[in-house]
């Protein structure tokens, strides 16, 4: 397990360097004939215009990094880089976000019918999938392209959650993954035949968004077709094929019935009476290990419940806790970290092979604690080893990042929907279609 953790740390380090290269290097990833992407004629003025816009954005981001400043714009709030410890590079992020708002256009394909396409769940644990589809279907969304020729990226509005909800029957559960794969592949076949956009990039500027646990399996049946395709997933598990340089890890949010979760500061960090807290089902090997060592609640400092007694209030307990445990369940995806952030509780990430959401711009070490699964027996000593002064700093930073995990309908600058889009934007910036070099 230790070797796996070292490999994972190395992967994340390389991932950070990749995006640093994005911000400072004059030329980004280029798809060429070696990648099985057909050449695009230089006479294609429309595509040339798209690539030129992206090249200018790259230049502005690089300039912000070199000069250690970023261009401000109205209605985005005030940011002081010296205080922005929660970001890997605040200059790169703020400038990149501004360039995204100014430049990025996404075309949502119109093909397909509801409820499998163009809509998704708007409550419960998969709600972010429906929220994102809803936002991209909104006609007055300023990031929506008026015509596909203007688009920098293309959104495939398929809801994996709805496919499972409406089509899965107990009798076919074993073979249902194949059905999901077929539906998505058929959709790609339709748009590839009808439009030139998929074929010209082999899907490198196309993406879909899904929070369902089974969403990564969409590409298992035909890996060549999905080689370049951007998958935006809650279930971001490297050991199950998640590729950080191409795929996007997004937040799982357990939305209430009114769809908009609330945030707050919770109890003062000086008055939080619970040292560490978790409540949830005892399923998956990680939680089984957590319950094995801490589930009897014989230690009052580590409170671990297999679901809460009826007289206990879950949000209230989160708001009274210093540290909120966020172990994997059946899969690495979970809403626990988001719930912790919403209540001002420091997330304790207990997962292997997991790529944290938006870690291309957010420095999670500044506002969370990551505990390897094999260190669960040492959980209390690890957390008690954090000086109270450091705890106070981290708790303050949890409140600072709340805005990046907040749902707004319609989306607002720097909120969770824009964080998802920004991650897609970075990956699009990192791809330059063959035949054009404006740097």
């Amino acid at each position: 397990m230790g070797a796996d953790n070292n490999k994972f740390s190395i992967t994340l380090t390389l991932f950070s360097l990749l995006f640093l290269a994005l911000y400072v290097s004059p030329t980004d990833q280029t798809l060429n004939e070696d990648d099985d992407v057909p050449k695009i004629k230089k006479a294609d003025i429309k595509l040339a215009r798209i690539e030129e816009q992206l090249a200018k954005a790259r230049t502005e981001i690089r300039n912000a990094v070199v000069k250690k400043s970023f261009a401000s714009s109205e209605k985005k709030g005030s940011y002081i880089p010296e205080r922005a410890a929660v970001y890997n590079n605040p200059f790169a992020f703020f400038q990149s976000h501004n360039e995204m708002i100014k430049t990025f256009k996404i075309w949502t394909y119109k093909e397909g019918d509801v409820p499998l396409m163009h809509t998704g769940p708007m409550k419960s644990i998969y709600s972010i999938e429906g929220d994102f589809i809803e936002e991209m279907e909104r006609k007055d969304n300023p990031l929506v392209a008026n015509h596909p020729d203007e688009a920098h990226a293309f959104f495939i509005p398929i809801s994996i959650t709805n496919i499972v909800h409406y089509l899965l029957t107990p009798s076919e559960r074993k073979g249902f993954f194949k059905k999901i794969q077929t539906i998505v592949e058929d959709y790609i076949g339709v748009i590839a035949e009808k439009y030139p956009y998929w074929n010209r990039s082999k899907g490198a500027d196309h993406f879909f968004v899904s929070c369902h646990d089974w969403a990564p399996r969409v590409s298992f049946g035909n890996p060549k077709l999905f080689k370049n395709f951007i998958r935006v997933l809650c279930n971001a598990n490297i050991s199950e094929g998640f590729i950080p340089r191409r795929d996007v890890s997004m937040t799982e949010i357990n939305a209430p019935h009114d769809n908009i979760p609330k945030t707050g500061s919770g109890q003062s960090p000086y008055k939080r009476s619970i040292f560490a807290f978790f409540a949830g089902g005892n399923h998956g090997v990680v939680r089984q290990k957590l319950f094995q060592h801490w589930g009897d609640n014989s230690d009052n400092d580590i409170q671990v419940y297999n679901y809460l007694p009826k007289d206990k209030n879950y949000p209230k307990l989160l708001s009274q806790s210093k540290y909120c445990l966020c172990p994997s369940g059946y899969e690495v995806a979970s809403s626990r970290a988001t719930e912790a952030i919403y209540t001002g509780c420091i997330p304790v990430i207990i997962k292997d092979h997991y790529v944290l959401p938006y870690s291309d711009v957010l420095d999670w070490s500044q506002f969370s604690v990551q505990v390897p699964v094999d260190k669960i027996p040492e959980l209390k000593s690890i957390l008690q080893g954090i000086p109270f002064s450091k705890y106070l700093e981290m708790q303050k930073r949890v409140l600072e990042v709340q805005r990046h995990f907040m749902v707004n309908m319609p989306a607002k600058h720097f909120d969770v929907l824009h964080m998802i889009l920004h991650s897609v934007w970075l990956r699009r910036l990192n791809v330059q279609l063959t035949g054009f070099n404006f740097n």
Side-chain angles (χ1 to χ4, degrees):
M1 187 66 71
D4 289 341
N5 288 330
N6 289 335
K7 290 179 181 179
F8 185 47
S9 298
I10 292 170
T11 301
L12 286 180
T13 301
L14 293 174
F15 183 44
S16 299
L17 290 175
L18 169 71
F19 282 101
L20 180 61
L22 163 68
Y23 293 133
V24 301
S25 63
T27 306
D28 297 286
Q29 176 186 351
T30 301
L31 294 178
N32 49 45
E33 288 182 308
D34 293 337
D35 295 316
D36 298 325
V37 178
K39 277 195 171 183
I40 302 168
K41 296 179 180 179
K42 292 185 178 181
D44 189 341
I45 304 303
K46 293 176 181 177
L47 182 58
R49 187 180 300 118
I50 292 295
E51 291 298 328
E52 185 174 20
Q53 292 167 354
L54 295 174
K56 288 179 179 178
R58 294 187 194 103
T59 299
E60 292 300 321
I61 297 168
R62 287 195 297 271
N63 289 342
V65 173
V66 172
K67 296 177 182 178
K68 294 186 177 181
S69 65
F70 51 86
S72 61
S73 55
E74 68 273 13
K75 299 182 181 179
K76 291 186 176 63
S78 256
Y79 293 90
I80 302 174
E82 288 75 13
R83 298 180 184 175
V86 297
Y87 305 105
N88 295 324
N89 188 316
F91 309 106
F93 173 49
F94 297 133
Q95 187 64 47
S96 179
H97 189 279
N98 289 349
E99 295 300 321
M100 178 188 78
I101 296 299
K102 180 173 65 177
T103 305
F104 203 26
K105 298 295 180 185
I106 302 119
W107 176 259
T108 299
Y109 286 106
K110 312 304 179 186
E111 285 68 26
D113 299 316
V114 295
L116 305 187
M117 291 86 177
H118 305 290
T119 188
M122 300 291 286
K123 59 184 178 181
S124 194
I125 60 173
Y126 300 137
S127 62
I128 193 65
E129 181 176 317
D131 292 340
F132 189 89
I133 294 173
E134 178 86 1
E135 177 67 11
M136 297 314 301
E137 296 281 346
R138 184 168 62 87
K139 292 183 179 179
D140 55 348
N141 183 342
L143 298 182
V144 169
N146 294 320
H147 189 279
D149 282 348
E150 302 172 0
H152 304 86
F154 299 83
F155 177 51
I156 295 179
I158 288 180
S159 172
I160 303 302
T161 302
N162 277 6
I163 291 174
V164 174
H165 177 74
Y166 287 102
L167 299 185
L168 176 63
T169 61
S171 62
E172 65 173 346
R173 186 178 183 87
K174 186 176 180 180
F176 194 73
F177 296 143
K178 178 62 177 176
K179 176 174 283 190
I180 297 175
Q181 294 166 2
T182 300
I183 292 171
V184 178
E185 289 180 27
D186 286 350
Y187 191 94
I188 291 173
V190 169
I191 62 172
E193 183 175 355
K194 188 173 181 179
Y195 306 102
Y197 311 108
W198 175 277
N199 292 328
R200 75 183 182 187
S201 69
K202 291 294 183 183
D205 51 1
H206 286 60
F207 70 102
F208 89 133
V209 171
S210 182
C211 205
H212 198 279
D213 289 348
W214 295 349
R217 296 177 179 270
V218 164
S219 55
F220 287 7
N222 190 346
K224 184 176 181 180
L225 178 67
F226 293 96
K227 177 182 177 182
N228 304 307
F229 184 59
I230 301 168
R231 303 177 304 167
V232 182
L233 305 170
C234 290
N235 192 9
N237 190 332
I238 288 177
S239 71
E240 296 179 358
F242 184 90
I243 302 175
R245 65 176 174 79
R246 180 198 67 190
D247 298 325
V248 171
S249 175
M250 71 172 176
T251 316
E252 184 169 300
I253 297 174
N254 192 359
H257 289 285
D258 63 3
N259 188 46
I260 305 299
K262 307 295 189 296
T263 62
S265 58
Q267 290 287 332
S268 162
Y270 296 95
K271 296 181 179 180
R272 290 181 176 246
S273 58
I274 302 173
F275 183 64
F277 169 76
F278 171 78
N282 183 3
H283 50 73
V285 294
V286 178
R287 292 191 187 179
Q288 288 172 8
K289 193 168 187 176
L290 180 67
F291 277 89
Q292 175 188 345
H293 289 277
W294 303 103
D296 61 1
N297 286 316
S298 59
D299 189 321
N300 291 330
D301 288 330
I302 309 291
Q303 298 188 22
V304 174
Y305 295 91
N306 187 359
Y307 299 110
L308 278 178
K310 292 183 179 179
D311 60 339
K312 302 284 187 179
N313 182 288
Y314 182 66
K316 184 177 181 180
L317 289 170
L318 290 174
S319 69
Q320 293 174 337
S321 301
K322 290 181 171 67
Y323 296 98
C324 291
L325 309 183
C326 308
S328 293
Y330 289 124
E331 301 288 352
V332 296
S334 169
S335 61
R336 308 292 175 177
T338 313
E339 291 167 349
I341 291 170
Y342 283 172
T343 54
C345 184
I346 295 176
V348 180
I349 311 298
I350 311 174
K351 304 170 188 280
D352 283 338
H353 315 297
Y354 179 50
V355 177
L356 289 160
Y358 328 120
S359 51
D360 36 20
V361 294
L362 294 180
D363 182 356
W364 279 76
S365 69
Q366 299 296 317
F367 58 92
S368 72
V369 179
Q370 297 182 51
V371 176
V373 172
D374 61 359
K375 298 292 185 181
I376 286 177
E378 305 167 41
L379 185 59
K380 182 176 178 178
S381 61
I382 290 172
L383 296 179
Q384 286 185 333
I386 299 172
F388 188 68
S389 59
K390 183 177 180 181
Y391 162 76
L392 291 175
E393 291 177 357
M394 294 174 69
Q395 199 273 339
K396 181 180 178 181
R397 289 166 184 163
V398 167
L399 301 181
E400 290 176 5
V401 299
Q402 280 182 343
R403 69 181 306 182
H404 298 312
F405 293 84
M406 191 60 202
V407 176
N408 295 293
M409 302 296 288
K412 295 181 180 179
H413 294 161
F414 299 104
D415 72 359
V416 70
L417 294 177
H418 276 189
M419 292 297 284
I420 295 169
L421 282 169
H422 183 260
S423 294
V424 175
W425 161 251
L426 286 181
R427 284 148 184 79
R428 180 61 182 93
L429 282 177
N430 224 24
V431 171
Q432 185 171 330
L433 299 185
T434 304
F436 304 96
N437 188 349
F438 297 94
N439 295 298

